[in-house]
Each structure stands twice: as C-alpha cells, then as structure tokens.
Amino acid sequence: MATTKSIGCDIMKRAIAQMKQEIKRKRERVQAQSEQIEKLGLELKSLENELETDLAQLNAFEEEFSASCGPG
C-alpha cells in the first residue's frame, strides 16, 4: 500500500518531468524564433540596401531627364 509520502513524491516526480519537457519545448521555440528573427533582419538589411540603390538610380535618371529634356 502506498503511503501519503510516496504518493506526494510520485506527484512531484511527474510534475518535475512535465516541467522539464515544457522548458525544453520553450527553449526550442526560442531558438527557432531567434533564427527566424535573424533571417528577417538580414532580409530587411538587404531590402534597405536595394532601396537605397534604387533611390540613387532614380535621382540620377531624374537629373539626366531634367538636363536633357527640361522640366518633367
């Protein structure tokens, strides 16, 4: 027959195991989301660089148009 102490210990043992599993799942989610954030950050920087290049090209074309064709 199980004693009150052994029942309490079994409950705590299961709770500890469940908490460890939950912590493991959360760590995995944090890692996955960190990787996604890093990837998005790199994509954002790339897009910002492309935008800067595009704006510079647009300005150059507008200046050339204005010089060659007059006010547009």
Short mmCIF file of all heavy atoms in Angstrom, two decimals:
data_model
loop_
_atom_site.label_atom_id
_atom_site.label_comp_id
_atom_site.label_asym_id
_atom_site.label_seq_id
_atom_site.Cartn_x
_atom_site.Cartn_y
_atom_site.Cartn_z
N MET A 1 0.84 -1.19 0.00
CA MET A 1 0.00 0.00 0.00
C MET A 1 0.89 1.25 0.00
O MET A 1 1.85 1.34 0.73
CB MET A 1 -0.90 -0.02 1.23
CG MET A 1 -1.86 1.10 1.28
SD MET A 1 -3.09 0.73 2.55
CE MET A 1 -3.61 2.33 2.90
N ALA A 2 0.53 2.20 -0.86
CA ALA A 2 1.31 3.42 -1.00
C ALA A 2 1.05 4.34 0.18
O ALA A 2 -0.09 4.48 0.62
CB ALA A 2 0.97 4.11 -2.29
N THR A 3 2.10 4.93 0.64
CA THR A 3 1.95 5.88 1.74
C THR A 3 1.65 7.26 1.17
O THR A 3 1.84 7.52 -0.02
CB THR A 3 3.23 5.95 2.59
OG1 THR A 3 4.27 6.48 1.78
CG2 THR A 3 3.62 4.59 3.13
N THR A 4 1.20 8.13 2.04
CA THR A 4 0.92 9.51 1.63
C THR A 4 2.18 10.16 1.11
O THR A 4 2.15 10.88 0.11
CB THR A 4 0.35 10.31 2.81
OG1 THR A 4 -0.81 9.65 3.30
CG2 THR A 4 0.00 11.72 2.41
N LYS A 5 3.32 9.86 1.77
CA LYS A 5 4.59 10.44 1.34
C LYS A 5 4.96 9.95 -0.06
O LYS A 5 5.36 10.75 -0.91
CB LYS A 5 5.70 10.08 2.32
CG LYS A 5 7.04 10.66 1.94
CD LYS A 5 8.10 10.30 2.95
CE LYS A 5 9.45 10.83 2.49
NZ LYS A 5 10.51 10.43 3.40
N SER A 6 4.80 8.66 -0.33
CA SER A 6 5.17 8.14 -1.66
C SER A 6 4.24 8.66 -2.74
O SER A 6 4.66 8.91 -3.87
CB SER A 6 5.20 6.61 -1.65
OG SER A 6 3.90 6.07 -1.50
N ILE A 7 2.97 8.86 -2.42
CA ILE A 7 2.02 9.44 -3.38
C ILE A 7 2.44 10.87 -3.70
O ILE A 7 2.49 11.29 -4.86
CB ILE A 7 0.57 9.37 -2.85
CG1 ILE A 7 0.11 7.91 -2.79
CG2 ILE A 7 -0.36 10.19 -3.74
CD1 ILE A 7 -1.23 7.72 -2.11
N GLY A 8 2.76 11.63 -2.66
CA GLY A 8 3.19 13.01 -2.86
C GLY A 8 4.47 13.08 -3.68
O GLY A 8 4.63 13.93 -4.55
N CYS A 9 5.39 12.16 -3.41
CA CYS A 9 6.65 12.14 -4.15
C CYS A 9 6.41 11.77 -5.61
O CYS A 9 7.05 12.32 -6.51
CB CYS A 9 7.63 11.16 -3.50
SG CYS A 9 8.24 11.73 -1.90
N ASP A 10 5.50 10.83 -5.87
CA ASP A 10 5.17 10.46 -7.25
C ASP A 10 4.58 11.64 -8.01
O ASP A 10 4.91 11.88 -9.17
CB ASP A 10 4.19 9.27 -7.27
CG ASP A 10 4.82 7.96 -6.88
OD1 ASP A 10 6.07 7.87 -6.88
OD2 ASP A 10 4.07 7.01 -6.57
N ILE A 11 3.71 12.37 -7.35
CA ILE A 11 3.10 13.55 -7.99
C ILE A 11 4.17 14.58 -8.31
O ILE A 11 4.21 15.14 -9.42
CB ILE A 11 2.00 14.15 -7.08
CG1 ILE A 11 0.80 13.19 -7.00
CG2 ILE A 11 1.56 15.52 -7.59
CD1 ILE A 11 -0.23 13.57 -5.97
N MET A 12 5.07 14.84 -7.35
CA MET A 12 6.13 15.81 -7.58
C MET A 12 7.07 15.34 -8.69
O MET A 12 7.52 16.13 -9.52
CB MET A 12 6.91 16.08 -6.30
CG MET A 12 6.13 16.93 -5.31
SD MET A 12 7.13 17.58 -3.93
CE MET A 12 7.76 16.11 -3.17
N LYS A 13 7.35 14.04 -8.72
CA LYS A 13 8.23 13.48 -9.77
C LYS A 13 7.63 13.71 -11.15
O LYS A 13 8.31 14.13 -12.08
CB LYS A 13 8.46 11.99 -9.50
CG LYS A 13 9.41 11.34 -10.46
CD LYS A 13 9.61 9.87 -10.11
CE LYS A 13 10.53 9.20 -11.10
NZ LYS A 13 10.71 7.77 -10.77
N ARG A 14 6.32 13.45 -11.29
CA ARG A 14 5.65 13.67 -12.58
C ARG A 14 5.62 15.15 -12.93
O ARG A 14 5.82 15.53 -14.08
CB ARG A 14 4.24 13.09 -12.55
CG ARG A 14 4.19 11.58 -12.67
CD ARG A 14 2.78 11.08 -12.96
NE ARG A 14 1.83 11.45 -11.93
CZ ARG A 14 1.49 10.70 -10.87
NH1 ARG A 14 2.04 9.51 -10.72
NH2 ARG A 14 0.61 11.12 -9.99
N ALA A 15 5.38 15.99 -11.93
CA ALA A 15 5.34 17.44 -12.18
C ALA A 15 6.72 17.93 -12.64
O ALA A 15 6.80 18.75 -13.56
CB ALA A 15 4.90 18.18 -10.91
N ILE A 16 7.77 17.43 -12.02
CA ILE A 16 9.12 17.82 -12.43
C ILE A 16 9.40 17.39 -13.85
O ILE A 16 9.93 18.16 -14.67
CB ILE A 16 10.17 17.24 -11.45
CG1 ILE A 16 10.07 17.96 -10.10
CG2 ILE A 16 11.57 17.33 -12.02
CD1 ILE A 16 10.85 17.30 -8.98
N ALA A 17 9.02 16.17 -14.20
CA ALA A 17 9.22 15.67 -15.57
C ALA A 17 8.45 16.52 -16.57
O ALA A 17 8.98 16.87 -17.64
CB ALA A 17 8.81 14.21 -15.67
N GLN A 18 7.22 16.88 -16.24
CA GLN A 18 6.41 17.72 -17.14
C GLN A 18 7.02 19.11 -17.29
O GLN A 18 7.06 19.67 -18.39
CB GLN A 18 4.98 17.82 -16.63
CG GLN A 18 4.18 16.55 -16.80
CD GLN A 18 2.78 16.64 -16.20
OE1 GLN A 18 2.49 17.53 -15.40
NE2 GLN A 18 1.93 15.70 -16.57
N MET A 19 7.52 19.67 -16.19
CA MET A 19 8.13 20.99 -16.25
C MET A 19 9.39 20.96 -17.12
O MET A 19 9.64 21.87 -17.90
CB MET A 19 8.47 21.49 -14.85
CG MET A 19 7.24 21.87 -14.03
SD MET A 19 7.66 22.36 -12.35
CE MET A 19 8.33 23.98 -12.66
N LYS A 20 10.18 19.90 -16.99
CA LYS A 20 11.39 19.76 -17.81
C LYS A 20 11.03 19.69 -19.30
O LYS A 20 11.69 20.31 -20.13
CB LYS A 20 12.18 18.52 -17.41
CG LYS A 20 12.94 18.69 -16.12
CD LYS A 20 13.73 17.43 -15.77
CE LYS A 20 14.53 17.61 -14.50
NZ LYS A 20 15.32 16.41 -14.16
N GLN A 21 9.97 18.95 -19.63
CA GLN A 21 9.52 18.86 -21.02
C GLN A 21 9.06 20.22 -21.53
O GLN A 21 9.37 20.61 -22.66
CB GLN A 21 8.40 17.83 -21.16
CG GLN A 21 8.85 16.40 -21.00
CD GLN A 21 7.69 15.42 -21.04
OE1 GLN A 21 6.53 15.79 -20.93
NE2 GLN A 21 8.02 14.14 -21.19
N GLU A 22 8.30 20.93 -20.71
CA GLU A 22 7.81 22.25 -21.11
C GLU A 22 8.97 23.23 -21.31
O GLU A 22 8.98 23.99 -22.27
CB GLU A 22 6.83 22.79 -20.06
CG GLU A 22 6.20 24.10 -20.42
CD GLU A 22 5.29 24.02 -21.63
OE1 GLU A 22 4.80 22.93 -21.97
OE2 GLU A 22 5.07 25.08 -22.25
N ILE A 23 9.95 23.19 -20.43
CA ILE A 23 11.12 24.05 -20.56
C ILE A 23 11.87 23.71 -21.84
O ILE A 23 12.30 24.61 -22.57
CB ILE A 23 12.03 23.92 -19.32
CG1 ILE A 23 11.35 24.60 -18.12
CG2 ILE A 23 13.42 24.50 -19.58
CD1 ILE A 23 12.01 24.32 -16.79
N LYS A 24 12.02 22.45 -22.14
CA LYS A 24 12.70 22.02 -23.37
C LYS A 24 11.96 22.55 -24.60
O LYS A 24 12.56 23.08 -25.53
CB LYS A 24 12.80 20.50 -23.43
CG LYS A 24 13.51 20.00 -24.66
CD LYS A 24 13.55 18.49 -24.71
CE LYS A 24 14.21 18.04 -26.01
NZ LYS A 24 14.01 16.64 -26.28
N ARG A 25 10.63 22.41 -24.61
CA ARG A 25 9.83 22.91 -25.73
C ARG A 25 9.99 24.43 -25.89
O ARG A 25 10.13 24.94 -27.00
CB ARG A 25 8.35 22.56 -25.55
CG ARG A 25 8.01 21.12 -25.91
CD ARG A 25 6.50 20.90 -25.99
NE ARG A 25 5.84 21.08 -24.69
CZ ARG A 25 5.66 20.11 -23.80
NH1 ARG A 25 6.08 18.89 -24.05
NH2 ARG A 25 5.05 20.36 -22.66
N LYS A 26 9.97 25.14 -24.77
CA LYS A 26 10.10 26.60 -24.83
C LYS A 26 11.48 27.00 -25.33
O LYS A 26 11.61 27.94 -26.12
CB LYS A 26 9.81 27.22 -23.47
CG LYS A 26 8.33 27.20 -23.14
CD LYS A 26 8.05 27.83 -21.80
CE LYS A 26 6.55 27.77 -21.49
NZ LYS A 26 6.24 28.36 -20.19
N ARG A 27 12.51 26.31 -24.89
CA ARG A 27 13.86 26.61 -25.38
C ARG A 27 13.95 26.39 -26.88
O ARG A 27 14.57 27.19 -27.60
CB ARG A 27 14.90 25.73 -24.68
CG ARG A 27 15.25 26.19 -23.30
CD ARG A 27 16.35 25.35 -22.70
NE ARG A 27 16.73 25.88 -21.40
CZ ARG A 27 17.16 25.16 -20.40
NH1 ARG A 27 17.29 23.85 -20.53
NH2 ARG A 27 17.49 25.72 -19.26
N GLU A 28 13.34 25.33 -27.37
CA GLU A 28 13.35 25.05 -28.80
C GLU A 28 12.61 26.14 -29.56
O GLU A 28 13.04 26.56 -30.64
CB GLU A 28 12.74 23.67 -29.08
CG GLU A 28 13.63 22.53 -28.61
CD GLU A 28 12.95 21.16 -28.63
OE1 GLU A 28 11.72 21.09 -28.88
OE2 GLU A 28 13.65 20.17 -28.38
N ARG A 29 11.49 26.60 -29.02
CA ARG A 29 10.73 27.68 -29.67
C ARG A 29 11.54 28.97 -29.69
O ARG A 29 11.55 29.69 -30.69
CB ARG A 29 9.41 27.92 -28.95
CG ARG A 29 8.36 26.86 -29.24
CD ARG A 29 7.07 27.10 -28.51
NE ARG A 29 6.53 28.43 -28.76
CZ ARG A 29 5.71 29.07 -27.94
NH1 ARG A 29 5.32 28.52 -26.81
NH2 ARG A 29 5.25 30.26 -28.25
N VAL A 30 12.20 29.28 -28.58
CA VAL A 30 13.03 30.48 -28.51
C VAL A 30 14.13 30.41 -29.56
O VAL A 30 14.38 31.39 -30.28
CB VAL A 30 13.63 30.66 -27.09
CG1 VAL A 30 14.75 31.68 -27.09
CG2 VAL A 30 12.54 31.06 -26.10
N GLN A 31 14.79 29.26 -29.67
CA GLN A 31 15.86 29.11 -30.65
C GLN A 31 15.33 29.27 -32.07
O GLN A 31 15.92 29.98 -32.88
CB GLN A 31 16.53 27.73 -30.49
CG GLN A 31 17.64 27.48 -31.48
CD GLN A 31 18.80 28.43 -31.32
OE1 GLN A 31 19.12 28.87 -30.22
NE2 GLN A 31 19.45 28.78 -32.42
N ALA A 32 14.21 28.62 -32.36
CA ALA A 32 13.64 28.71 -33.71
C ALA A 32 13.24 30.15 -34.03
O ALA A 32 13.50 30.64 -35.14
CB ALA A 32 12.43 27.78 -33.82
N GLN A 33 12.62 30.83 -33.08
CA GLN A 33 12.20 32.20 -33.33
C GLN A 33 13.40 33.14 -33.44
O GLN A 33 13.38 34.07 -34.23
CB GLN A 33 11.22 32.66 -32.25
CG GLN A 33 9.89 31.96 -32.38
CD GLN A 33 8.86 32.43 -31.36
OE1 GLN A 33 9.11 33.31 -30.55
NE2 GLN A 33 7.70 31.82 -31.40
N SER A 34 14.44 32.87 -32.67
CA SER A 34 15.66 33.67 -32.78
C SER A 34 16.26 33.55 -34.18
O SER A 34 16.71 34.53 -34.77
CB SER A 34 16.68 33.25 -31.73
OG SER A 34 16.22 33.55 -30.44
N GLU A 35 16.25 32.33 -34.70
CA GLU A 35 16.78 32.11 -36.05
C GLU A 35 15.93 32.83 -37.08
O GLU A 35 16.45 33.41 -38.03
CB GLU A 35 16.85 30.61 -36.34
CG GLU A 35 17.92 29.90 -35.53
CD GLU A 35 17.84 28.38 -35.61
OE1 GLU A 35 16.98 27.85 -36.35
OE2 GLU A 35 18.65 27.73 -34.94
N GLN A 36 14.61 32.80 -36.91
CA GLN A 36 13.72 33.50 -37.83
C GLN A 36 13.96 35.01 -37.77
O GLN A 36 13.99 35.68 -38.81
CB GLN A 36 12.25 33.20 -37.51
CG GLN A 36 11.82 31.81 -37.86
CD GLN A 36 10.37 31.55 -37.47
OE1 GLN A 36 9.86 32.12 -36.51
NE2 GLN A 36 9.71 30.67 -38.21
N ILE A 37 14.13 35.53 -36.58
CA ILE A 37 14.37 36.96 -36.42
C ILE A 37 15.68 37.36 -37.08
O ILE A 37 15.76 38.38 -37.77
CB ILE A 37 14.34 37.36 -34.93
CG1 ILE A 37 12.91 37.26 -34.40
CG2 ILE A 37 14.92 38.75 -34.71
CD1 ILE A 37 12.80 37.37 -32.89
N GLU A 38 16.70 36.53 -36.90
CA GLU A 38 17.99 36.82 -37.52
C GLU A 38 17.87 36.82 -39.05
O GLU A 38 18.36 37.72 -39.73
CB GLU A 38 19.03 35.79 -37.10
CG GLU A 38 20.42 36.06 -37.65
CD GLU A 38 21.45 35.06 -37.16
OE1 GLU A 38 21.16 34.29 -36.24
OE2 GLU A 38 22.55 35.06 -37.73
N LYS A 39 17.14 35.84 -39.57
CA LYS A 39 16.94 35.75 -41.02
C LYS A 39 16.17 36.97 -41.53
O LYS A 39 16.53 37.57 -42.55
CB LYS A 39 16.19 34.47 -41.37
CG LYS A 39 15.97 34.26 -42.84
CD LYS A 39 15.22 32.98 -43.12
CE LYS A 39 14.92 32.85 -44.61
NZ LYS A 39 14.11 31.68 -44.92
N LEU A 40 15.13 37.34 -40.82
CA LEU A 40 14.34 38.52 -41.23
C LEU A 40 15.17 39.79 -41.16
O LEU A 40 15.04 40.68 -42.01
CB LEU A 40 13.09 38.65 -40.36
CG LEU A 40 11.99 37.63 -40.61
CD1 LEU A 40 10.90 37.75 -39.55
CD2 LEU A 40 11.42 37.77 -42.00
N GLY A 41 16.03 39.87 -40.16
CA GLY A 41 16.90 41.04 -40.05
C GLY A 41 17.83 41.16 -41.24
O GLY A 41 18.05 42.25 -41.77
N LEU A 42 18.38 40.03 -41.68
CA LEU A 42 19.25 40.03 -42.85
C LEU A 42 18.47 40.41 -44.12
O LEU A 42 18.97 41.17 -44.95
CB LEU A 42 19.91 38.66 -43.03
CG LEU A 42 20.91 38.25 -41.94
CD1 LEU A 42 21.35 36.80 -42.13
CD2 LEU A 42 22.10 39.19 -41.92
N GLU A 43 17.26 39.88 -44.24
CA GLU A 43 16.42 40.23 -45.39
C GLU A 43 16.07 41.71 -45.38
O GLU A 43 16.09 42.37 -46.42
CB GLU A 43 15.15 39.38 -45.40
CG GLU A 43 15.39 37.92 -45.75
CD GLU A 43 14.12 37.08 -45.68
OE1 GLU A 43 13.01 37.64 -45.68
OE2 GLU A 43 14.25 35.84 -45.64
N LEU A 44 15.76 42.24 -44.21
CA LEU A 44 15.43 43.66 -44.09
C LEU A 44 16.62 44.52 -44.49
O LEU A 44 16.47 45.50 -45.23
CB LEU A 44 15.00 43.98 -42.66
CG LEU A 44 14.69 45.44 -42.35
CD1 LEU A 44 13.55 45.96 -43.21
CD2 LEU A 44 14.37 45.61 -40.88
N LYS A 45 17.81 44.18 -44.02
CA LYS A 45 19.01 44.94 -44.37
C LYS A 45 19.24 44.90 -45.87
O LYS A 45 19.58 45.92 -46.48
CB LYS A 45 20.22 44.37 -43.62
CG LYS A 45 21.46 45.19 -43.79
CD LYS A 45 21.26 46.57 -43.19
CE LYS A 45 22.53 47.39 -43.32
NZ LYS A 45 22.30 48.79 -43.00
N SER A 46 19.04 43.74 -46.48
CA SER A 46 19.20 43.62 -47.92
C SER A 46 18.21 44.50 -48.67
O SER A 46 18.58 45.20 -49.62
CB SER A 46 19.03 42.16 -48.34
OG SER A 46 19.11 42.03 -49.74
N LEU A 47 16.97 44.49 -48.23
CA LEU A 47 15.95 45.33 -48.87
C LEU A 47 16.27 46.82 -48.69
O LEU A 47 16.07 47.63 -49.60
CB LEU A 47 14.57 45.02 -48.31
CG LEU A 47 13.94 43.73 -48.81
CD1 LEU A 47 12.66 43.43 -48.02
CD2 LEU A 47 13.64 43.80 -50.29
N GLU A 48 16.76 47.19 -47.51
CA GLU A 48 17.13 48.59 -47.28
C GLU A 48 18.26 49.00 -48.22
O GLU A 48 18.23 50.11 -48.78
CB GLU A 48 17.55 48.79 -45.82
CG GLU A 48 16.40 48.74 -44.84
CD GLU A 48 16.85 48.76 -43.39
OE1 GLU A 48 18.01 48.42 -43.10
OE2 GLU A 48 16.01 49.12 -42.54
N ASN A 49 19.23 48.12 -48.42
CA ASN A 49 20.33 48.41 -49.34
C ASN A 49 19.82 48.55 -50.78
O ASN A 49 20.24 49.45 -51.51
CB ASN A 49 21.41 47.33 -49.26
CG ASN A 49 22.17 47.36 -47.96
OD1 ASN A 49 22.20 48.36 -47.28
ND2 ASN A 49 22.78 46.24 -47.61
N GLU A 50 18.91 47.66 -51.18
CA GLU A 50 18.33 47.73 -52.52
C GLU A 50 17.56 49.04 -52.70
O GLU A 50 17.64 49.69 -53.74
CB GLU A 50 17.40 46.55 -52.77
CG GLU A 50 18.12 45.23 -52.97
CD GLU A 50 17.16 44.08 -53.18
OE1 GLU A 50 16.03 44.30 -53.68
OE2 GLU A 50 17.53 42.94 -52.84
N LEU A 51 16.81 49.42 -51.69
CA LEU A 51 16.03 50.66 -51.75
C LEU A 51 16.96 51.86 -51.89
O LEU A 51 16.70 52.75 -52.71
CB LEU A 51 15.17 50.81 -50.49
CG LEU A 51 14.36 52.09 -50.36
CD1 LEU A 51 13.39 52.25 -51.52
CD2 LEU A 51 13.63 52.12 -49.03
N GLU A 52 18.03 51.87 -51.14
CA GLU A 52 18.99 52.97 -51.23
C GLU A 52 19.58 53.06 -52.64
O GLU A 52 19.68 54.15 -53.21
CB GLU A 52 20.11 52.76 -50.20
CG GLU A 52 21.03 53.93 -50.05
CD GLU A 52 22.04 53.71 -48.94
OE1 GLU A 52 21.63 53.27 -47.84
OE2 GLU A 52 23.23 53.98 -49.18
N THR A 53 19.93 51.92 -53.21
CA THR A 53 20.47 51.88 -54.57
C THR A 53 19.42 52.35 -55.58
O THR A 53 19.72 53.15 -56.47
CB THR A 53 20.93 50.45 -54.92
OG1 THR A 53 21.96 50.07 -54.01
CG2 THR A 53 21.46 50.37 -56.34
N ASP A 54 18.19 51.88 -55.43
CA ASP A 54 17.11 52.27 -56.34
C ASP A 54 16.85 53.77 -56.28
O ASP A 54 16.64 54.43 -57.31
CB ASP A 54 15.82 51.52 -56.01
CG ASP A 54 15.90 50.03 -56.34
OD1 ASP A 54 16.84 49.61 -57.04
OD2 ASP A 54 15.00 49.28 -55.88
N LEU A 55 16.85 54.33 -55.08
CA LEU A 55 16.62 55.77 -54.94
C LEU A 55 17.74 56.57 -55.59
O LEU A 55 17.48 57.59 -56.25
CB LEU A 55 16.49 56.14 -53.46
CG LEU A 55 15.19 55.71 -52.77
CD1 LEU A 55 15.27 55.94 -51.27
CD2 LEU A 55 14.00 56.46 -53.36
N ALA A 56 18.97 56.11 -55.43
CA ALA A 56 20.10 56.80 -56.07
C ALA A 56 19.97 56.75 -57.59
O ALA A 56 20.21 57.75 -58.28
CB ALA A 56 21.42 56.18 -55.62
N GLN A 57 19.58 55.60 -58.12
CA GLN A 57 19.39 55.47 -59.57
C GLN A 57 18.25 56.37 -60.05
O GLN A 57 18.36 57.02 -61.09
CB GLN A 57 19.11 54.02 -59.95
CG GLN A 57 20.31 53.12 -59.87
CD GLN A 57 19.96 51.68 -60.21
OE1 GLN A 57 18.81 51.25 -60.11
NE2 GLN A 57 20.96 50.92 -60.64
N LEU A 58 17.17 56.40 -59.31
CA LEU A 58 16.03 57.25 -59.67
C LEU A 58 16.46 58.71 -59.71
O LEU A 58 16.13 59.43 -60.66
CB LEU A 58 14.88 57.06 -58.69
CG LEU A 58 13.67 57.99 -58.88
CD1 LEU A 58 13.05 57.79 -60.26
CD2 LEU A 58 12.67 57.79 -57.77
N ASN A 59 17.18 59.14 -58.69
CA ASN A 59 17.64 60.53 -58.67
C ASN A 59 18.54 60.83 -59.86
O ASN A 59 18.41 61.90 -60.49
CB ASN A 59 18.38 60.82 -57.36
CG ASN A 59 17.44 60.93 -56.18
OD1 ASN A 59 16.27 61.24 -56.33
ND2 ASN A 59 17.96 60.67 -55.00
N ALA A 60 19.43 59.91 -60.20
CA ALA A 60 20.32 60.12 -61.34
C ALA A 60 19.52 60.21 -62.64
O ALA A 60 19.77 61.08 -63.48
CB ALA A 60 21.35 59.00 -61.42
N PHE A 61 18.54 59.33 -62.81
CA PHE A 61 17.71 59.36 -64.03
C PHE A 61 16.90 60.65 -64.10
O PHE A 61 16.77 61.24 -65.17
CB PHE A 61 16.77 58.16 -64.09
CG PHE A 61 17.44 56.87 -64.46
CD1 PHE A 61 17.08 55.69 -63.83
CD2 PHE A 61 18.42 56.81 -65.44
CE1 PHE A 61 17.68 54.50 -64.17
CE2 PHE A 61 19.02 55.62 -65.78
CZ PHE A 61 18.66 54.45 -65.14
N GLU A 62 16.35 61.08 -62.96
CA GLU A 62 15.58 62.32 -62.95
C GLU A 62 16.45 63.52 -63.30
O GLU A 62 16.02 64.40 -64.06
CB GLU A 62 14.92 62.52 -61.58
CG GLU A 62 13.74 61.60 -61.34
CD GLU A 62 13.10 61.78 -59.97
OE1 GLU A 62 13.80 62.18 -59.02
OE2 GLU A 62 11.89 61.52 -59.87
N GLU A 63 17.67 63.55 -62.78
CA GLU A 63 18.58 64.65 -63.10
C GLU A 63 18.96 64.63 -64.57
O GLU A 63 18.99 65.68 -65.23
CB GLU A 63 19.84 64.56 -62.22
CG GLU A 63 19.60 64.93 -60.78
CD GLU A 63 20.84 64.74 -59.92
OE1 GLU A 63 21.94 64.49 -60.46
OE2 GLU A 63 20.69 64.81 -58.68
N GLU A 64 19.23 63.43 -65.09
CA GLU A 64 19.58 63.33 -66.52
C GLU A 64 18.40 63.73 -67.39
O GLU A 64 18.55 64.44 -68.38
CB GLU A 64 20.02 61.90 -66.84
CG GLU A 64 20.50 61.74 -68.27
CD GLU A 64 21.00 60.34 -68.57
OE1 GLU A 64 21.37 59.62 -67.64
OE2 GLU A 64 21.00 59.99 -69.77
N PHE A 65 17.19 63.30 -67.02
CA PHE A 65 15.99 63.66 -67.76
C PHE A 65 15.81 65.18 -67.75
O PHE A 65 15.53 65.78 -68.79
CB PHE A 65 14.77 62.96 -67.16
CG PHE A 65 13.48 63.36 -67.80
CD1 PHE A 65 13.08 62.79 -68.99
CD2 PHE A 65 12.67 64.34 -67.23
CE1 PHE A 65 11.88 63.18 -69.59
CE2 PHE A 65 11.47 64.72 -67.81
CZ PHE A 65 11.08 64.13 -69.01
N SER A 66 15.95 65.76 -66.57
CA SER A 66 15.76 67.19 -66.45
C SER A 66 16.78 67.96 -67.27
O SER A 66 16.44 68.94 -67.96
CB SER A 66 15.86 67.60 -64.98
OG SER A 66 15.68 68.98 -64.82
N ALA A 67 18.03 67.48 -67.27
CA ALA A 67 19.09 68.16 -68.04
C ALA A 67 18.87 67.97 -69.53
O ALA A 67 19.11 68.89 -70.32
CB ALA A 67 20.45 67.62 -67.63
N SER A 68 18.40 66.80 -69.95
CA SER A 68 18.25 66.51 -71.37
C SER A 68 16.91 66.95 -71.94
O SER A 68 16.83 67.36 -73.10
CB SER A 68 18.38 65.01 -71.62
OG SER A 68 19.66 64.55 -71.22
N CYS A 69 15.87 66.85 -71.15
CA CYS A 69 14.52 67.05 -71.68
C CYS A 69 13.80 68.24 -71.07
O CYS A 69 12.63 68.49 -71.42
CB CYS A 69 13.70 65.78 -71.44
SG CYS A 69 14.47 64.29 -72.11
N GLY A 70 14.37 68.90 -70.13
CA GLY A 70 13.70 70.02 -69.50
C GLY A 70 12.86 69.55 -68.33
O GLY A 70 12.81 68.36 -68.01
N PRO A 71 12.18 70.46 -67.69
CA PRO A 71 11.36 70.08 -66.52
C PRO A 71 10.31 69.06 -66.92
O PRO A 71 9.71 69.16 -67.99
CB PRO A 71 10.71 71.39 -66.08
CG PRO A 71 11.38 72.48 -66.84
CD PRO A 71 12.12 71.88 -68.00
N GLY A 72 10.15 68.08 -66.06
CA GLY A 72 9.27 66.99 -66.44
C GLY A 72 7.97 66.98 -65.84
O GLY A 72 7.13 66.22 -65.98
#
